[in-house]
Amino acid sequence: MPGLSRSDVEHVAHLARLGLTDDELGRLQGQLNHILDQYTKLAELDTDSIAPTAQTIELENILREDVVTPSLPVEEILRNAPDAAGGYIVSPPILSDESGG
Amino acid sequence: MTDLTRLLAHEMTDRLRAGEITSRALTEAHLDAAEAGNHALNAWLTIDRERALVEADAADVRLASPVGAADAHPLLGVPVALKDLVSVKGGQCTAGSRILEGYLAPYDAHITERLRAVGAVILGKTNMDEFAMGSSNEHSAYGPVANPWDLETVPGGSSGGSAVAVAAYHAPLSIGTDTGGSIRQPAALTGIVGIKPTYGRVSRYGIVAFASSLDQIGPFARDVRDAAALLHAVAGRDERDSTSASVPVPDELLHLPASDDEAAAGLRGKRLGLPREYFVAGMDPDSRRRIEESVAALEGAGATVEEVSLPHTDYGLATYYIVAPAEASANLARYDGVRFGPRLGDSDVLRNYLATRGRGFGPEVKRRIMLGTYALSAGYYDAFYVKAQKVRTLIKRDFDDLFERGFDALVAPTSPTTAFQFGAKMADPVAMYLSDACTLPVNMAGLPGISIPCGLSEGMPVGLQLIGPAWSELELFRLSRGFEALTSAAQWRGQEPTQLDLTTDPAQPTPAERAQALAQH
């Protein structure tokens, strides 16, 4: 499998919403490729007929009674918010001129 | 007068019940030790004296009441430390990250509620690798933790602070989490007991998530009985964590044999497997000798030990480093600078994300988010993530096959090496990841695994790992208690960490200063 190029790394960083410096992008390119080399080992195994494991204990859906229980008070939640007003969390603008909408 | 910090938790229980000591005195002794040792060890991110003393006084009231103590849990009045990813209402919960700086937990984790219900005293929160990602505690945003056996070495990770708090007598008990070895490996490197229970054994409600199909909560202690008592206190079904199972938690966890003879006799006739793949390339030969001596001791006590194979062990590392980062990249999407934590860019929401996450997360966390995002991205999902989940099936089957053949448990090293120097593995992430080669397959299979001290190599602790089938914690504790009994007279058994005396000297460098000095060599 070909390694990650610099623009691949930039693309993944964008998908992950990580703002990385040029130095970080350069370092990560080398490190990620080194780690991805380890992954190639898995290709040795024929897994065509093997079912994937997402979790290891045999749990079935567990239903509970649909009873109303108290939620956390709004003021307790807002205390952790970087910006709040009128009982709401204030978010930075989603649409702005600079980001082009 | 006895130094109260040197008592085991069950000895504290006995003295509390006999009215010989108070929980306040115990708690003060531990708070003093934690405060005195934190400069040189950096094991604690917060020490909450005020809250701890309130809890201690409440425990003393219960202990003194005519009905109180008799039916109470043994941990009533006993101090405990929590890894700083366990929510304690009104307290910080940083998970070792800058991105949670200033966040105050609005509710108690399930295990915090359980500890309060039994009357344990929470001393504070311990240092850890950021978001539990690391094997050395050097990835904490709040500085590394030193190992009291050699202050220039790491304590292991990610629960390094919890391990050191117990090893250095700041607390008799602590809570850690284990996603790929984060309880067992630091327990081994600091010479104490640590268990990762079966996936689903302990509710994770109120715990900061790393990789949700792997994370489990477990105890650290200085002996097997104490670890079992702490697991007993926190285990069991909680409807707020849909993966917590309704498997009964046996009260026998509180009644492991006190007598060494009885404990050792329990090993007779046990059938143990020794997986040959766990003696990995790069394993330190002297650590290996400690494991071989331990196996000989178990055989001497009447257990049979057969060499067995877990043929997919070698694929564990690659599988883990796809599955865990993939789950982490999804779990860590919630740290967005909108609802809690610092917000580092304000002009629009995308810039806020990039700045807050780019600057709020440390290098190892960013590396794993990148790996996970890549493994889940369009075009690579089948090649990486689905493939890894299939190999996970093969790894789990290896274990299932052995337990179906009747093995009571598997015996293995916990870590390929003893504690390493600060900086030794920081430049090469894969070298760091290999620290968990013997522990992470157990998480992949969802099984319980315990690390117990089995001797020293060049003066540094070595851990023996016992791995059992799902829900076999009681059996693992019994076997471990048997091994502990066999080695009760060993010279290393009563030995305190070699550099413990230095840790209370305020003139000693901090762990960060030591790491920096070593890096300049």
Side-chain angles (χ1 to χ4, degrees):
Chain A
M1 194 169 307
L4 287 176
S5 68
R6 168 80 174 212
S7 73
D8 292 335
V9 178
E10 286 172 8
H11 174 64
V12 176
H14 179 73
L15 290 176
R17 300 293 186 265
L18 289 172
L20 300 176
T21 64
D22 281 350
D23 269 4
E24 284 181 306
L25 288 165
R27 212 173 318 124
L28 274 167
Q29 187 185 350
Q31 290 172 338
L32 295 179
N33 279 318
H34 181 40
I35 296 166
L36 292 175
D37 282 344
Q38 320 297 312
Y39 292 177
T40 56
K41 186 167 177 56
L42 298 185
E44 294 168 8
L45 293 171
D46 176 3
T47 52
D48 287 350
S49 61
I50 307 293
T53 294
Q55 63 98 16
T56 50
I57 53 172
E58 285 143 30
L59 279 175
E60 291 178 10
N61 282 338
I62 299 168
L63 302 177
R64 61 168 172 77
E65 294 298 310
D66 189 14
V67 180
V68 176
T69 53
S71 299
L72 288 168
V74 171
E75 54 278 15
E76 297 256 329
I77 299 304
L78 294 183
R79 193 173 304 158
N80 277 314
D83 192 6
Y88 291 93
I89 291 166
V90 177
S91 161
I94 290 172
L95 302 173
S96 69
D97 295 343
E98 279 181 87
S99 63
Chain B
M1 203 189 115
T2 330
D3 181 345
L4 296 178
T5 63
R6 296 307 197 265
L7 297 173
L8 293 163
H10 62 84
E11 294 169 336
M12 295 176 191
T13 308
D14 293 344
R15 292 188 186 206
L16 287 166
R17 300 296 161 89
E20 291 167 18
I21 54 171
T22 60
S23 178
R24 173 172 268 265
L26 258 185
T27 302
E28 280 179 334
H30 286 94
L31 290 166
D32 291 348
E35 281 168 2
N38 211 34
H39 169 78
L41 291 170
N42 200 29
W44 298 81
L45 295 181
T46 49
I47 300 169
D48 197 340
R49 178 175 285 270
E50 203 176 326
R51 187 200 294 251
L53 290 176
V54 168
E55 291 174 8
D57 289 342
D60 283 328
V61 169
R62 277 175 73 182
L63 283 158
S65 80
V67 285
D71 294 332
H73 195 276
L75 297 192
L76 173 59
V78 175
V80 180
L82 301 180
K83 187 174 180 176
D84 201 24
L85 46 49
V86 180
S87 298
V88 176
K89 187 177 170 152
Q92 72 163 44
C93 190
T94 65
S97 183
R98 290 278 172 225
I99 213 161
L100 277 169
E101 207 162 34
Y103 168 80
L104 298 178
Y107 59 93
D108 275 341
H110 176 71
I111 66 161
T112 307
E113 289 178 358
R114 295 293 291 266
L115 289 169
R116 287 191 201 289
V118 302
V121 175
I122 297 166
L123 297 173
K125 308 289 291 294
T126 57
N127 203 344
M128 57 182 285
D129 281 303
E130 185 176 0
F131 286 103
M133 296 175 189
S135 310
S136 69
N137 218 117
E138 291 165 285
H139 290 301
S140 168
Y142 303 95
V145 177
N147 188 325
W149 289 86
D150 174 348
L151 296 174
E152 292 192 339
T153 68
V154 304
S158 67
S159 313
S162 286
V164 168
V166 169
Y169 302 94
H170 299 173
L173 297 167
S174 65
I175 288 286
T177 56
D178 189 315
T179 304
S182 285
I183 292 173
R184 290 160 290 158
Q185 184 252 13
L189 270 46
T190 59
I192 61 172
V193 177
I195 184 170
K196 182 205 91 77
T198 310
Y199 183 77
R201 183 58 102 174
V202 183
S203 163
R204 297 158 318 163
Y205 176 77
I207 308 292
V208 176
F210 161 16
S212 298
S213 80
L214 303 165
D215 298 343
Q216 251 303 286
I217 295 162
F220 289 100
R222 287 192 297 271
D223 88 347
V224 172
R225 291 163 70 196
D226 286 0
L230 181 52
L231 179 63
H232 181 271
V234 298
R237 166 90 186 133
D238 165 31
E239 66 176 24
R240 297 166 299 185
D241 175 359
S242 58
T243 66
S244 81
S246 13
V247 175
V249 180
D251 286 337
E252 290 99 312
L253 288 169
L254 300 177
H255 305 288
L256 295 176
S259 129
D260 283 345
D261 287 348
E262 188 193 340
L267 293 168
R268 187 162 302 280
K270 292 297 178 191
R271 188 168 168 219
L272 305 174
L274 186 67
R276 69 174 72 93
E277 292 84 0
Y278 279 54
F279 295 88
V280 290
M283 177 157 186
D284 160 46
D286 198 46
S287 293
R288 181 182 184 138
R289 278 193 284 280
R290 293 298 92 73
I291 304 300
E292 288 164 352
E293 290 157 12
S294 305
V295 167
L298 289 163
E299 288 177 320
T304 59
V305 184
E306 273 171 63
E307 191 176 296
V308 296
S309 176
L310 291 164
H312 296 95
T313 301
D314 216 16
Y315 301 94
L317 192 81
T319 308
Y320 179 87
Y321 278 97
I322 294 171
V323 172
E327 294 183 11
S329 74
N331 272 329
L332 272 57
R334 75 191 66 185
Y335 302 100
D336 57 8
V338 173
R339 292 154 301 157
F340 48 82
R343 180 181 294 175
L344 300 177
D346 237 350
S347 57
D348 66 59
V349 80
L350 180 61
R351 286 195 182 114
N352 157 59
Y353 289 157
L354 296 174
T356 300
R357 291 165 61 79
R359 280 150 57 195
F361 290 131
E364 180 61 25
V365 174
K366 287 191 251 190
R367 201 145 47 226
R368 297 210 200 180
I369 290 174
M370 291 287 286
L371 276 174
T373 304
Y374 179 61
L376 292 175
S377 63
Y380 299 98
Y381 179 81
D382 286 328
F384 290 126
Y385 190 63
V386 176
K387 178 80 181 182
Q389 284 193 312
K390 290 180 167 190
V391 179
R392 186 173 180 184
T393 304
L394 297 173
I395 292 169
K396 182 172 186 298
R397 269 189 205 166
D398 286 352
F399 286 102
D400 291 346
D401 289 348
L402 288 178
F403 292 126
E404 274 162 30
R405 280 168 53 196
F407 286 96
D408 294 298
L410 307 179
V411 190
T414 306
S415 164
T417 65
T418 56
F420 43 91
Q421 268 197 345
F422 287 123
K425 303 188 181 192
M426 286 297 270
D428 180 358
V430 174
M432 185 72 91
Y433 298 168
L434 280 165
S435 307
D436 291 327
C438 300
T439 46
L440 54 84
V442 180
N443 300 71
M444 302 298 300
L447 302 174
I450 187 168
S451 181
I452 49 175
C454 71
L456 301 176
S457 170
E458 290 165 27
M460 297 300 284
V462 179
L464 179 72
Q465 185 178 204
L466 292 170
I467 303 159
W471 317 114
S472 69
E473 288 86 352
L474 178 60
E475 177 69 9
L476 283 184
F477 278 125
R478 284 182 172 148
L479 293 167
S480 304
R481 175 71 193 104
F483 180 77
E484 188 178 71
L486 287 183
T487 53
S488 63
Q491 190 270 330
W492 52 268
R493 179 60 78 179
Q495 197 174 319
E496 292 192 348
T498 327
Q499 297 198 329
L500 190 62
D501 288 348
L502 296 179
T503 64
T504 49
D505 174 1
Q508 287 291 320
T510 64
E513 288 163 352
R514 284 183 196 278
Q516 203 172 12
L518 283 167
Q520 279 158 5
H521 271 292

